[in-house]
Amino acid sequence: MTEATIENRAVPTVSVPRLRFTQRYGWVIPLLLGALVLLAMLASLCIGAYPLRFGRAAQIVMRLAWPFPMPANPPWNIKELTVVQIIRLPRVLLATLAGIGLGMSGTALQGMMRNPLVGPDIVGVTSGAAFGGVLAMLFDWPPAGIIALAFLGGMVAMFCTFSLAKLARGESNSMILILAGVFIGAFFLAAAGLVQYIAPDSVTRTITYWLLGTFVGADQQKVWMIAIPTLFGGSMLMTLRWRLNLLSLGDLDAKTLGINVGMLRWSIIALVSLIVASQVAVSGIIGWVGLVVPHCARMLVGPDHRRLLPTAAMLGGLFVLGLDDITRSVVKAELPVGVLTALIGTPVICILFWKTQSKGWEHE
Amino acid sequence: MNSNVVHFEDLGHAYRPSRWVFQNYNATVKRGSTFALLGPNGCGKTTLLKIMLGALKPTKGTIKVEGRMAFVPQLFHVTFDYSVLDMVLMGRAKHVGVFSQPSAADEEAAMASLERFGITNLAHRPFHELSGGQRQLVIFARALVSEADILILDEPTSALDLKNQIVVLDWITRLSHQDGLTVLFTTHHPHHALAVADEVLLMLGKKSFAYGESGDVLTEENLHTLYGVDLKLLPFEHKGLHHETLVPVLPHLDREASRSAERFKIRA
Amino acid sequence: MINTNSPRELLWLGPFACIALVALGLLRPLPSFAPPARSRIVMDAAGRSVQIEVPYRGTAITWWGSFPNWYLQHTHAPETVLYAGGSRDRAFFSNNIMSWVYPQVVKNDRLWKDNAIAAGRGPYVEVESLLAFDPGAYIGAGSSGGPLPLLRRVGLPVVHTWDPHRKLEEGMFEPARIESALVGHPERGEAMISRYRQSFAELNQELKPSTLSNHPRILMMGDFVRDKIHLSVVGPKGMYSEVYYPRVGVANAAIGFMSTTMDAERILAMDPDIVFLYGSNNGPIPMQGPESFLQDPRWKGMKAVRDRRVYRLPSGDAPGNLLCGPILARWMAEIAHPDQLQPRTREALRKIIEDDFGYRLNDDQIDIVLHMNENSDQPGYERFTRNYNANQEGKPTQ
């Protein structure tokens, strides 16, 4: 053997743990997505019948957000300000917040129920909230009342879902839980339809349009209706995001690791219900976002909820904002955004489902 | 510091009224010892574990547990493909505030735990890619990182191949002797219990049980009562130390005397 | 309780905070347009005094359907139209007399843009496109929906021309007064109103409806070509039932039915003497005409179908039409009570348009208005043909 080969042989192979790319740089992705969301919001302000340049839109938004009085002689004309402040900005905010809320709710539910095939619409929260909201509209309650009743409806629906699953002795079996959610969801949706039927004509028209999922008619009041619960509930969910990892292990496991499973689970359900209720109250039933977005986020940054939750939030915001931009610009008649999310969501979930089934989620 | 970490008296549980799983059980687990729980399927081993873990309230009797517990379940099914490090980190739950995320110190503790078991090279692999034995070690690491005093294992060797069974049993003794943990495990293999456990509880029936040091309790009569099969206690010497093991006697061997004679004659 | 171990943990707070700040920015007072230097005041239907800048820059009409038609009738001022609607409105408008009188309005592409009134896109989209115009006033119906409330909030001149609470004929007179005042000629509106009243007075004198013994039962309905299930009828409330039918000496066969959407069974139960069909065959929403109605197996049992007394209403969206309302009334009366009236509908129509607009309708155009191609086979319709009077022997032409 020559010296060279001896030397080669002598070099030991070091077993250094090799990080997946997503693990080392995973934290960058939520950051990038966050910046992307803000940019997308500005870009969305330029879409519409009235011509507005990106630079001008950015100027106006920055001055609106900056907590000091507006300049006396602004470089923009009052029509541009009107278009941004009154027409487009509320709608853009509404769509983004709805997306953020739905993305986070879907992720939290999937983690909590240990099944990647759930979303707020499948589990019954959306239908329950819709029923509550529709009922409040029938009684002509103020916006806070609509959200409150929608929140209550969502909680009741979740409670029914879990009780039904418990009756079938399937609280820990996620498939039974999902089935229960589908049944309860269908029930509440039918109940909402009943309310629509008995409502007087003037209210019916509002209800119908709204049940399809739409951001039309976004105004300042609606922005506040969705912003406060989503930002507050979302922040709470963010602080609990590591605990979602624990919850996703299993009841006994989580309990022995030292967390109060029941309390955590119901806190998460309450937060999800709050977020979804506010979204449904202002924009109707928008499905599939809570199902598809967490999947895509998981593909980007992995299943650790510390990174997953912020990523899903930002991705959700981008997704729904993008779809709303499409309905505003390309389509001639206003397509309800709920229809678009279904049209896009169903094939995406099919592809993801088949791809991962071949790799295998469940390993038992 | 109390030398008894687990103590139960007159313990009994019934899932439905008057359908007792077991009744009148007494036992004590000493600190730093290894304790084995044996019994056929359905006799209530998991129930007893759950009572000890506090997940179930016993219908009758009292149980006192002193010290923090960590649980290593039998079947480990994770829906999401967490990395090994993430899994071990989850053991730090008791040390992380409700609204906080794990700190750098927590991550270091997790890595240290992996190092203890010699599996740092697996740190960033997805958990589901690991073999059964490796998974068991990861869960050990998770139990250790939670700084528990008592380790409770549910049938730690049943899903493993021979090599990994030995590895796990070895770790059980090491954790008990070197780290001073109290280890409690259930098993279907009496020879494992004999090899590793200091004390044993045999769950013989609804009201009967045998409890005591493993050498005293793991007798051929008790085991015959427990399992309904014949087991022979065989002593042997290894490296100058005296050991004993249990070997099952297959029923048909008596009838097939000539055949077995053939087989063993060849070896001899 | 919350201890942050690294700033990376709180990265999500960034976008959240930005969104919250922007949402807070919405709380600022609405932008508002400065009031004009020189202006005149116009009272709109909601009782508001609106400042209209002088010289008047023009009108943006923001209600779907008939408004351009009525606006031109009331104002006689096609040059003041800056925006009249979308392509569907243009199609509707092209079927009307005003499109012949003022062909330049139909031809001008700049007046008809689809973006602004895309029905169903919601008021806020419409506002965006409407802002692109710079009219002297935005006009529209006085309801709470639509883009107008928003435009008014930012200080743009918005004039509601019609209030839904106005009853019947007042609801017709008001837009005339308001719109003619808008263009600076309030006298035009008043002139139309007085001529309207006078026409009805003349009809009343000729017909004497209170003395009529026979009041034929009329069913006025719309049968959609594409939707065979839903039929709409003119119910007991509204201009037709309450104002026109009594003046014309007929009764509404749909009395006693509260809903205006019917099914075939209930219509058969009404069994009217005469059926008037509204709408037209061509145009954005095609409606059945007499020919297919008479062939329709559903209506075979109807008395009106057996007598073939099914007519298409003249076009011109009466009765909300100050100009042609009296003509429509006369037309109905001539069909219902042919012996009581001279066949003078054609002349009346021609006279009105000529007097008011200086435009002489030719026979072909009047035939189109009276749907001669669809109605000519039905009994009693000969009197509406172009040379009827000339062909009657011994009857004086007037």
Side-chain angles (χ1 to χ4, degrees), chain A residues 44-45 47-51 79 82-84 86-92 209 214-219 324-336, chain C residues 62 83 113-133 138 145-151 156:
Chain A
S44 305
L45 286 174
I47 296 178
Y50 192 88
K79 285 195 181 172
T82 309
V83 165
V84 170
I86 299 185
I87 303 172
R88 293 186 191 165
L89 193 56
R91 180 150 178 168
V92 163
Y209 205 23
T214 173
F215 295 116
V216 164
D219 57 13
D324 192 48
D325 288 343
I326 292 177
T327 56
R328 276 203 293 145
S329 56
V330 170
V331 188
K332 211 165 189 219
E334 175 100 26
L335 195 62
Chain C
T62 70
Y83 174 76
K113 282 209 161 35
D114 259 328
N115 295 348
I117 305 203
R121 293 189 75 160
Y124 291 86
V125 176
E126 299 169 16
V127 171
E128 275 193 40
S129 352
L130 288 174
L131 275 178
F133 300 100
Y138 295 91
L148 295 180
L150 189 57
L151 290 169
L156 287 169

Side-chain angles (χ1 to χ4, degrees), chain A residues 197-253:
Chain A
Y197 177 71
I198 64 180
D201 273 334
S202 54
V203 186
T204 305
R205 230 177 305 123
T206 336
I207 293 180
T208 316
Y209 205 23
W210 172 89
L211 278 176
L212 287 173
T214 173
F215 295 116
V216 164
D219 57 13
Q220 184 200 53
Q221 186 189 61
K222 286 195 178 166
V223 169
W224 281 94
M225 272 169 77
I226 192 175
I228 297 180
T230 304
L231 291 176
F232 169 72
S235 304
M236 296 295 291
L237 269 183
M238 287 287 192
T239 58
L240 291 172
R241 64 192 192 271
W242 184 67
R243 303 242 150 199
L244 272 174
N245 285 0
L246 298 166
L247 212 52
S248 74
L249 289 179
D251 274 8
L252 187 59
D253 230 347

Side-chain angles (χ1 to χ4, degrees), chain A residues 332-333, chain C residues 61 63-69 83-96 99 106 109 111-121 126 224 226 280 282-287 317:
Chain A
K332 211 165 189 219
Chain C
I61 305 173
W63 184 252
W64 178 86
S66 318
F67 269 26
N69 193 29
Y83 174 76
S87 50
R88 204 151 80 146
D89 308 306
R90 196 178 196 172
F92 264 113
F93 183 71
S94 311
N95 284 335
N96 282 307
S99 63
V106 187
D109 287 330
L111 303 179
W112 310 94
K113 282 209 161 35
D114 259 328
N115 295 348
I117 305 203
R121 293 189 75 160
E126 299 169 16
F224 299 89
R226 291 195 188 123
S280 74
N282 24 296
I285 305 180
M287 311 270 264
D317 46 70

Side-chain angles (χ1 to χ4, degrees), chain C residues 40-58:
Chain C
R40 67 179 125 91
I41 304 282
V42 170
M43 250 329 217
D44 82 348
R48 290 189 203 89
S49 318
V50 185
Q51 276 184 310
I52 306 293
E53 187 167 353
V54 175
Y56 187 59
R57 285 201 303 279

Side-chain angles (χ1 to χ4, degrees), chain A residues 15 17-20 23 110-111 114-116 236 238-246 248-249 252-253 255-259 298 303-306 361-364, chain B residues 50 53-55 69 71 73 75-83 86-87 89-94 96-102 107 120-121 124 126 128 135 142:
Chain A
S15 66
R18 280 175 50 231
L19 285 157
R20 291 202 289 230
Q23 280 163 326
Q110 287 181 6
R114 297 189 285 281
N115 190 311
M236 296 295 291
M238 287 287 192
T239 58
L240 291 172
R241 64 192 192 271
W242 184 67
R243 303 242 150 199
L244 272 174
N245 285 0
L246 298 166
S248 74
L249 289 179
L252 187 59
D253 230 347
K255 180 174 176 20
T256 51
L257 281 173
I259 60 175
R298 216 170 273 124
D304 185 2
H305 287 87
R306 285 179 291 170
W361 284 317
E362 326 256 315
H363 304 288
E364 200 56 33
Chain B
K50 284 193 184 170
L53 288 167
M69 284 183 287
F71 179 56
L75 293 171
F76 217 77
H77 166 205
V78 199
T79 316
F80 304 111
D81 57 343
Y82 295 112
S83 70
D86 286 336
M87 291 294 292
L89 195 57
M90 293 198 219
R92 299 290 291 173
K94 292 197 180 103
V96 176
V98 177
F99 297 108
S100 313
Q101 317 299 311
E107 306 236 358
T120 41
N121 56 322
H124 299 285
H128 66 260
R135 287 200 210 185
R142 190 184 74 174

